[in-house]
Amino acid sequence: MTKAIRIHEYGGADNLKWEDVDVGQPGDGQVRVKHTAVGLNFIDVYQRTGLYDIGALPQTLGMEGAGVIEEVGAGVEGFAAGDRVAYAMGLGSYCEARVMATDRLVKVPDSVDDETAAAMMLQGMTARYLLKSSYAVQPGDTILIMAAAGGVGQIMSQWARHLGATVIGCVGSDAKAELAKANGCDHTILYNSEDVAARVREITDGEGVPVSYDSVGQATCEASLDSLAPCGVFVTYGNASGPITDFNVGVLGAKGSLYVQRPTLATFTRNRELLNECAGDLFDVVGAGAVKINVGQTYALAETAQAHRDLEDRKTTGSTVLMP
Ligand SMILES: NC(=O)c1ccc[n+]([C@@H]2O[C@H](COP(=O)([O-])OP(=O)(O)OC[C@H]3O[C@@H](n4cnc5c(N)ncnc54)[C@H](OP(=O)(O)O)[C@@H]3O)[C@@H](O)[C@H]2O)c1
């Protein structure tokens, strides 16, 4: 038996239950991982509320973890008992130990500790594909990042600066603006009280930005589109304020022949080659010190419900780790 955080029905944070579950033995192509740290992500909220379908319940939530392989099933290649591993997009990470296939696992270099690994796999690989694939940031670009003091936001801002970009970060408070500036943002905008597009035009001498990385969704969609230069890219990759449900593509023409992408990390790490490339790049920038993974808060895994409340109430900054 092991402990896990599960939901039996979709809904609020109170639905997250700390329960005994059976771990079982690894089957063909599987390993048993003992978690030493588990990552918290906003996608966990979407899955808890039912915005994203996760199939039959009860279900252990959580998409990211780090730990050590305890036991290896038949037919497993490339992984052995004792390996330090981490993963993202592997539903069921809110637990002390689990059995899982190896397709999402990567080995963690000695230079990265377990807490950092659990904090960075999902948010860091997301930052990587956004900055290199959704829109390939070039030195000299001035780019816009929403929720710049959050988990993905802090990693992206540092990485974008490392790539030679000037970063404009939108944040929800003065304290978060300070944090964003300390983590790669050249300019900050308080998007709850300032006119984002007007400030962006002011900073860019009227031109606008070639890309807006927008994880907030409904509340900032218009501000993102109005901040773009001609042929700019609206990368809408999250729904923290609610999903965009009534998008009229004609707007893209009216606002300057814009592009829109709704990307997912799953697409950009859909096979072993892409996963290794993405994770490898992330380990490189973190190992070189170009990107620092800031764990803003940790909670006991048993207290995951409180971590969800704080994330939804915009009380967290940087990455959040749950300790088994
Ligand atoms: N598509 C993908 O591949 C992918 C992968 C990873 C993450 N994401 C998305 O990226 C976003 C960031 O994820 P994260 O885990 O790093 O979370 P996070 O940014 O640490 O937390 C979310 C932040 O969004 C801002 N926000 C704005 N309006 C909000 C609202 N109504 N309710 C709650 N928060 C609001 C808050 O910052 P302020 O107070 O500064 O506004 C809050 O701190 C999420 O939308 C997530 O779904 C997408």
Side-chain angles (χ1 to χ4, degrees):
M1 281 292 184
T2 188
K3 287 281 191 183
I5 293 279
R6 299 201 300 174
I7 57 165
H8 290 255
E9 54 184 314
Y10 295 113
D14 290 348
N15 287 15
L16 296 163
K17 304 293 183 199
W18 183 235
E19 298 179 334
D20 287 325
V21 293
D22 190 14
V23 192
Q25 299 300 309
D28 262 17
Q30 292 183 322
V31 294
R32 192 172 67 241
V33 176
K34 181 177 163 49
H35 285 138
T36 49
V38 170
L40 177 80
N41 293 282
F42 219 95
I43 189 172
D44 308 350
V45 173
Y46 308 144
Q47 293 180 331
R48 191 203 71 218
T49 59
L51 178 65
Y52 291 177
D53 185 12
I54 51 169
L57 303 181
Q59 172 65 51
T60 302
L61 292 190
M63 297 292 270
E64 177 178 42
V68 62
I69 294 180
E70 287 188 312
E71 195 179 340
V72 174
V76 167
E77 287 179 13
F79 293 94
D83 283 349
R84 290 178 63 235
V85 291
Y87 62 91
M89 304 309 286
L91 180 62
S93 70
Y94 286 177
C95 59
E96 294 168 329
R98 70 181 296 183
V99 163
M100 64 189 299
T102 56
D103 59 344
R104 307 300 313 169
L105 292 180
V106 295
K107 289 184 195 171
V108 179
D110 290 343
S111 57
V112 176
D113 64 54
D114 290 11
E115 188 179 308
T116 304
M120 76 182 199
M121 294 307 297
L122 199 150
Q123 295 167 350
M125 290 200 293
T126 298
R128 191 269 185 195
Y129 85 72
L130 290 171
L131 294 169
K132 295 203 170 186
S133 301
S134 292
Y135 168 87
V137 170
Q138 303 299 316
D141 279 348
T142 298
I143 67 168
L144 183 60
I145 296 177
M146 300 295 178
V152 177
Q154 286 196 24
I155 298 172
M156 272 189 91
S157 301
Q158 295 176 71
W159 204 331
R161 169 79 79 87
H162 175 62
L163 292 171
T166 297
V167 183
I168 307 172
C170 289
V171 292
S173 69
D174 287 324
K176 288 186 178 183
E178 288 309 309
L179 206 50
K181 278 191 179 138
N183 285 286
C185 287
D186 299 276
H187 308 271
T188 53
I189 300 174
L190 297 173
Y191 49 11
N192 298 327
S193 54
E194 295 188 85
D195 181 335
V196 174
R199 282 288 317 281
V200 168
R201 299 278 163 197
E202 195 180 290
I203 293 165
T204 58
D205 295 328
E207 173 68 10
V209 287
V211 62
S212 175
Y213 292 110
D214 191 333
S215 63
V216 175
Q218 195 182 63
T220 50
C221 174
E222 201 174 329
S224 277
L225 293 169
D226 288 340
S227 299
L228 290 170
C231 304
V233 188
F234 172 42
V235 182
T236 170
Y237 72 98
N239 333 278
S241 69
I244 300 165
T245 52
D246 55 353
F247 192 80
N248 170 10
V249 289
V251 164
L252 299 173
K255 292 185 188 282
S257 305
L258 306 178
Y259 295 83
V260 62
Q261 186 187 53
R262 177 58 177 93
T264 70
L265 177 58
T267 305
F268 287 93
T269 54
R270 65 188 176 278
N271 57 41
R272 175 53 67 180
E273 195 183 344
L274 289 169
L275 174 62
N276 283 349
E277 194 184 351
C278 201
D281 250 12
L282 174 62
F283 287 137
D284 284 350
V285 290
V286 171
V291 171
K292 188 169 176 300
I293 304 301
N294 298 314
V295 177
Q297 48 284 309
T298 59
Y299 300 80
L301 182 59
E303 303 300 326
T304 299
Q306 188 56 44
H308 272 231
R309 288 184 200 104
D310 290 349
L311 181 62
E312 288 175 279
D313 289 346
R314 307 165 81 156
K315 289 181 180 161
T316 66
T317 57
S319 305
T320 302
V321 176
L322 309 167
M323 301 307 287

